[in-house]
């Protein structure tokens, strides 16, 4: 055994001894992983609660958000049909056919007969059809869409009262149901009836009737927790993020922990999405017989639209973070992918033959910081984006990936890059293998 072999063996023994000394004891070995896993599990459990808290706080706390949420319902066919039915029923309940007909002046009777003439069946049935067609025409107009938006904007303050159980207003909590008073719509329909020749509609008194936005036995109980949701609406998502980050930092294998945390949070959001789907069916099945199920389904889908958007965004973000953490690891497959990434970009840089000079050298020295800066900017962009969607999250990731590709392209350590028999060398002072020059590889390559 020569001196070099003996020295290598001594170094290996010293290394093994150092590893033995640094190996954690039995107690220390499980404490950090245990609490890391615990924090990640708690973050996953809090993910759906955080999404619901943020959604409820934004929906009620932001007038524009609430109006933009409710606005599409004005053009929903099921909601339009339900409103028309409700208005027709309310109007006909206040119409005394005999007294109204006897009060019609002789001069107005031909006009009334002309208006009701095409209608078949008894006078009550014909008048009901006439009122319904008028109401249906109005709720399909732009005037109804404008009125619907105005009602929801002015009634926004009452929504908070409805969920907190205080006061009344256009929107109120009645018998565990959030309802909207359709009196303004009925007034417009009465005027439309008069314009269409049914002058007796002007004698109908002011009618108040409720259109149910949401009904459930749990609404009365949910209002008790609404104030708590408002308080934690912002801080609960922050706490969830801090717990997930704490679990990753506490773990011994942090990269693996980051993959696990990202997928766990995505799974928590997926559980919320499944719960919404299940609750929708339970909610619709439990509706009273007088409530239109198609309209109630449209209202439910509209109210939870942004919550579902958040679910999709969190799932997408979790998958992206997990994939990024995995690709930057030391696994065999990840190493091959990164090698292909760097090799492909390097081949493009060499094919272009661009002399980056001091720029390439600076990028090579600062490459780690530049990459982390790109990641930080992408994260901040996602955080400050106003209600990001899954598509926005994907686009931010794609842009960040393109910027990282640019950084990789500009990374040039100044080493020579030979291209084979042509003898052209990147970064050489002259050409090798060209006319009057030495053959490729037959002489030294001068580096500038």
């Amino acid at each position: 055994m020569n001196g070099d072999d003996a020295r290598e063996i001594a170094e290996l023994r010293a290394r093994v001894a150092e590893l033995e000394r640094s190996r954690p004891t039995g107690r220390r070995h499980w404490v950090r992983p245990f609490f890391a896993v615990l924090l990640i599990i708690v973050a996953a459990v809090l993910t759906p609660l955080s999404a619901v808290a943020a959604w409820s706080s934004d929906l009620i706390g932001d007038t524009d958000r609430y109006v933009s949420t409710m606005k599409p319902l004005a053009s929903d066919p099921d909601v339009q049909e339900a409103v028309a039915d409700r208005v027709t029923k309310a109007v006909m309940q206040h119409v005394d056919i005999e007294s109204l007909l006897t009060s019609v002046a002789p001069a107005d009777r031909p006009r009334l007969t002309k208006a009701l003439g095409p209608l078949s069946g008894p006078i009550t049935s014909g008048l009901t059809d006439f009122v319904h067609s008028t109401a249906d025409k109005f709720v399909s107009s732009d005037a109804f869409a404008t009125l619907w938006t105005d009602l929801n904007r002015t009634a926004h303050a009452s929504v908070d009262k409805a969920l907190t159980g205080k006061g009344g207003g256009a929107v109120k909590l009645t018998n565990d149901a959030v309802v909207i008073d359709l009196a303004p719509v009925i007034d417009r329909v009465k005027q439309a009836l008069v314009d269409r020749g049914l002058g007796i509609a002007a004698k109908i008194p002011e009618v108040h009737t409720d259109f149910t936005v949401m009904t459930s036995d749990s609404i009365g109980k949910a209002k008790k927790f609404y104030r708590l949701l408002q308080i934690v609406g912002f801080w609960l998502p922050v706490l969830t993020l801090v717990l997930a980050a704490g679990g990753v930092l506490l773990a011994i294998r942090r990269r693996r922990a980051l993959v696990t945390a990202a997928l766990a949070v995505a799974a928590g959001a997926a559980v919320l999405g499944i719960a919404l789907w299940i609750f929708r069916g339970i909610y619709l099945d439990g509706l009273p017989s007088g409530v239109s199920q198609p309209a109630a389904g449209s209202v439910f889908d509209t109210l939870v639209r942004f919550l579902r958007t958040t679910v999709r965004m969190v799932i997408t973000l979790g998958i992206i973070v997990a994939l990024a953490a995995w690709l930057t690891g030391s696994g065999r497959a990840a190493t091959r992918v990164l090698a292909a990434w760097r090799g492909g970009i390097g081949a493009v840089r060499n094919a272009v033959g661009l002399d980056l000079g001091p720029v390439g050298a600076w990028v090579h020295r600062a490459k780690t910081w530049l990459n982390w800066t790109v990641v930080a900017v992408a994260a901040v962009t996602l955080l400050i984006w106003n209600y990001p969607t899954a598509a926005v999250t994907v686009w931010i990731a794609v842009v960040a990936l393109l910027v990282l590709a640019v950084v990789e392209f500009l990374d040039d350590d100044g080493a020579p890059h030979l291209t084979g028999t042509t003898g052209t060398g990147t970064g050489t002072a002259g050409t090798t293998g060209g006319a009057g020059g030495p053959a490729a590889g037959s002489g030294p390559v001068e580096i500038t």
Side-chain angles (χ1 to χ4, degrees), residues 162-181:
L163 292 179
T164 56
K166 301 177 182 178
V171 178
K172 54 187 177 180
L173 190 66
T174 303
N175 296 327
D176 288 335
V178 178
V179 296
I180 296 178
D181 188 359

Side-chain angles (χ1 to χ4, degrees), residues 261-324:
L263 293 179
V265 170
V271 168
L272 176 58
I274 296 174
L276 288 175
W277 176 70
I278 296 175
F279 179 75
R280 185 183 188 275
I282 297 175
Y283 166 72
L284 294 180
D285 290 340
L287 289 175
S289 58
V291 178
S292 170
Q293 283 210 0
S298 298
V299 173
F300 181 90
D301 293 337
T302 299
L303 286 173
V304 302
R305 176 164 55 100
F306 289 109
L307 184 57
R308 285 173 172 163
T309 299
T310 300
V311 168
R312 290 190 289 267
M313 185 275 294
V314 173
I315 293 175
T316 303
L317 180 61
I319 294 175
I320 291 175
V321 172
L323 183 62

Side-chain angles (χ1 to χ4, degrees), residues 69-120:
T69 300
M70 300 296 290
K71 185 177 180 179
L73 289 175
S75 57
D76 186 275
D78 294 327
V79 173
Q80 290 177 348
E81 180 64 22
V83 172
D85 291 343
R86 194 74 187 93
V87 169
T88 301
K89 183 178 180 180
V91 170
M92 293 305 299
Q93 285 178 345
H94 292 78
V95 173
D96 186 346
I97 301 297
E98 295 183 0
S99 60
L100 287 177
L101 290 179
T102 56
S103 63
V104 175
D108 292 336
R109 290 180 180 177
R111 188 181 180 188
L112 178 61
T113 302
K114 182 179 180 181
L116 300 180
L119 302 175
S120 59

Side-chain angles (χ1 to χ4, degrees), residues 415-429:
H417 303 283
L418 299 180
T419 59
T421 57
T422 59
T424 58
T426 302
T428 61

Side-chain angles (χ1 to χ4, degrees), residues 156-247:
H156 176 261
S158 297
V159 175
D160 181 59
K161 294 179 182 180
L163 292 179
T164 56
K166 301 177 182 178
V171 178
K172 54 187 177 180
L173 190 66
T174 303
N175 296 327
D176 288 335
V178 178
V179 296
I180 296 178
D181 188 359
L182 294 179
V185 179
I186 294 176
D187 288 340
R188 299 290 292 271
V189 172
K190 287 194 300 183
Q191 184 59 47
L193 290 172
V194 173
D195 295 339
R196 294 186 65 183
L198 191 62
I200 56 175
K203 300 180 179 295
I204 299 176
E206 183 178 5
V207 179
H208 294 272
T209 188
D210 296 331
F211 176 77
T212 301
V213 175
M214 179 170 287
T215 178
S216 173
D217 293 339
S218 61
I219 289 182
K221 301 176 183 178
K223 66 181 182 180
K224 300 178 182 178
F225 303 100
Y226 171 68
R227 183 57 183 169
L228 176 61
L229 289 176
Q230 280 190 312
I231 295 175
V232 303
F234 171 78
W235 292 109
L236 193 56
V238 174
L239 176 61
T240 302
L241 183 61
V242 170
L243 290 176

